[in-house]
């Protein structure tokens, strides 16, 4: 029975200048918060630590390749990689298996370089973890397409993957949420949810992106879990104990407990 510790949406800035445009996102406090989280991890003894995106708070103009502050893109990229390196070194210090997927505020290529192009399928503590690196469409609604869609279809149907699964992704499938003019759930989310439930393979879908967080349970006990954003006080995270036939417990923690 694996224990999974899950946090998301830290929006860290340390080597990058400035902070998140939303004052609730305490970007420059995140290195210290990671240190405090490490102490909790040592006490809770999870089998795996997962982070479901928005590790960093890279400005949109930098992600678009046109930094508005007049500094070169090369300088920004060096700072972004240095911020990802904070996570890399922190994860390695835990001596616990870890998995992560980039979010829409992360530079995917920098993430890939720092974490050495990590595999998308990992077997840990009797579960098969699938990591999906999806992206937003032009309307800012997430899509699962191309190689990511092929991996998803294989997870649910291929004989080689007929094993209990946990899916990691930045974006959410359930519940459907429309806020600030955006659809936070995937395009085609209802069909995705149904296909996972029908497969009988997926025990949990762990997501990020929507900062208030959510927790929904579908057919067969499949949970769709999104802890509130770690970057916002009280810096929450979530712990799951998962059995072969389903999730046994979901517990919420925060660094101010």
């Amino acid at each position: 029975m694996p224990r999974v510790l899950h946090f998301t949406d830290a929006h860290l800035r340390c080597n990058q200048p400035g902070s998140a445009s939303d004052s609730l996102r305490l970007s420059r406090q995140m290195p210290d918060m990671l240190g405090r989280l490490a102490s909790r991890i040592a006490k809770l003894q999870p089998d795996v630590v997962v982070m479901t995106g928005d590790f960093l708070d890279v400005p949109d103009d930098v992600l678009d390749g046109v930094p508005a502050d007049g500094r070169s893109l090369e300088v920004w990229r060096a700072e972004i990689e240095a911020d990802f390196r904070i996570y890399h070194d922190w994860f390695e210090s835990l001596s616990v298996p870890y998995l992560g997927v980039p979010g829409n505020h992360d530079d995917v290529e920098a993430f890939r370089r720092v974490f050495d192009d990590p595999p998308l399928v990992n077997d840990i503590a009797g579960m098969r973890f699938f990591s999906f690196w999806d992206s937003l469409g032009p309307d800012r609604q997430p899509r699962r397409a191309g190689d990511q869609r092929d991996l998803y279809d294989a997870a649910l149907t291929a004989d080689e993957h007929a094993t209990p699964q946990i899916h990691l992704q930045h974006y959410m499938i359930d519940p459907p949420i429309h806020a600030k003019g955006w659809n936070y759930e995937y395009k085609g989310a209802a069909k995705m949810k149904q296909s996972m439930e029908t497969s009988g393979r997926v025990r949990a879908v762990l997501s990020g992106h929507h900062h208030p967080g959510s927790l929904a349970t579908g057919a067969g006990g499949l949970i769709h879990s999104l802890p509130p954003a770690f970057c916002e006080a009280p810096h929450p995270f979530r712990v799951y104990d998962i059995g072969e036939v389903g999730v046994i417990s979901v517990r919420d923690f925060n660094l101010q407990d």
Side-chain angles (χ1 to χ4, degrees):
M1 179 181 73
R3 172 169 291 175
V4 180
L5 188 144
H6 175 201
F7 71 110
T8 193
D9 292 83
H11 287 265
L12 178 148
R13 285 201 206 179
C14 181
N15 294 282
Q16 298 172 85
S19 189
S21 58
D22 186 335
S23 62
L24 293 176
R25 301 177 184 181
L26 304 176
S27 298
R28 303 202 74 81
Q29 296 183 24
M30 288 302 99
D32 179 58
M33 293 302 109
L34 288 175
R36 292 172 59 183
L37 180 59
S39 297
R40 296 296 190 91
I41 290 169
K43 292 178 180 178
L44 289 163
Q45 297 186 316
D47 295 288
V48 58
V49 175
V50 303
M51 205 289 191
T52 51
D54 285 355
F55 287 75
L56 307 184
D57 190 80
V58 181
D60 287 343
D61 56 284
V62 176
L63 291 173
D64 291 339
V66 189
D69 67 350
R71 299 187 311 138
S72 71
L73 193 58
E74 289 70 23
V75 169
W76 272 99
R77 284 173 174 161
E79 293 166 346
I80 290 165
E81 288 198 24
D83 278 349
F84 274 132
R85 182 64 58 183
I86 290 171
Y87 281 101
H88 178 276
D89 294 348
W90 178 80
F91 277 124
E92 291 293 326
S93 75
L94 298 176
S95 299
V96 176
Y98 63 88
L99 299 168
V101 295
N104 58 299
H105 288 276
D106 294 320
D107 182 314
V108 174
E109 292 309 313
F111 180 92
R112 195 184 300 276
R113 287 191 295 271
V114 170
F115 288 98
D116 197 23
D117 204 8
L120 302 183
V121 183
N122 295 270
D123 291 332
I124 301 173
M127 291 281 170
R128 183 156 294 174
F129 289 79
F130 287 84
S131 299
F132 295 100
W133 295 24
D134 300 306
S135 58
L136 297 174
D139 59 356
R140 298 193 66 83
Q141 185 169 16
R143 265 84 166 159
R144 178 160 292 164
D147 292 346
Q148 300 302 304
R149 185 70 193 203
D150 293 341
L151 177 62
Y152 172 77
D153 290 341
L156 301 188
T157 62
D159 290 343
E160 65 185 292
H161 296 312
T163 186
Q165 300 173 8
I166 297 174
H167 289 193
L168 310 180
Q169 56 206 39
H170 183 56
Y171 306 106
M172 58 197 303
I173 292 174
D174 192 45
I177 292 178
H178 182 83
K180 300 180 181 178
W182 296 3
N183 289 305
Y184 279 80
E185 79 282 1
Y186 284 87
K187 189 174 182 66
K191 289 183 179 180
M192 294 173 71
K193 178 185 175 184
Q194 183 179 35
S195 62
M196 284 190 295
E197 292 174 350
T198 300
S199 78
R201 298 179 177 184
V202 187
R203 304 295 178 259
V205 179
L206 309 185
S207 306
H209 192 46
H210 183 57
H211 283 207
S214 63
L215 180 64
T217 304
L222 168 61
I223 67 162
H224 295 261
S225 180
L226 192 172
F230 186 73
C231 65
E232 300 180 17
H235 312 296
F237 59 98
R238 193 166 276 176
V239 174
Y240 318 91
D241 290 305
I242 302 175
E244 277 199 20
V245 297
V247 177
I248 295 171
S249 70
V250 180
R251 292 179 289 161
D252 285 305
F253 297 87
N254 67 71
L255 295 184
Q256 295 181 7
D257 285 341

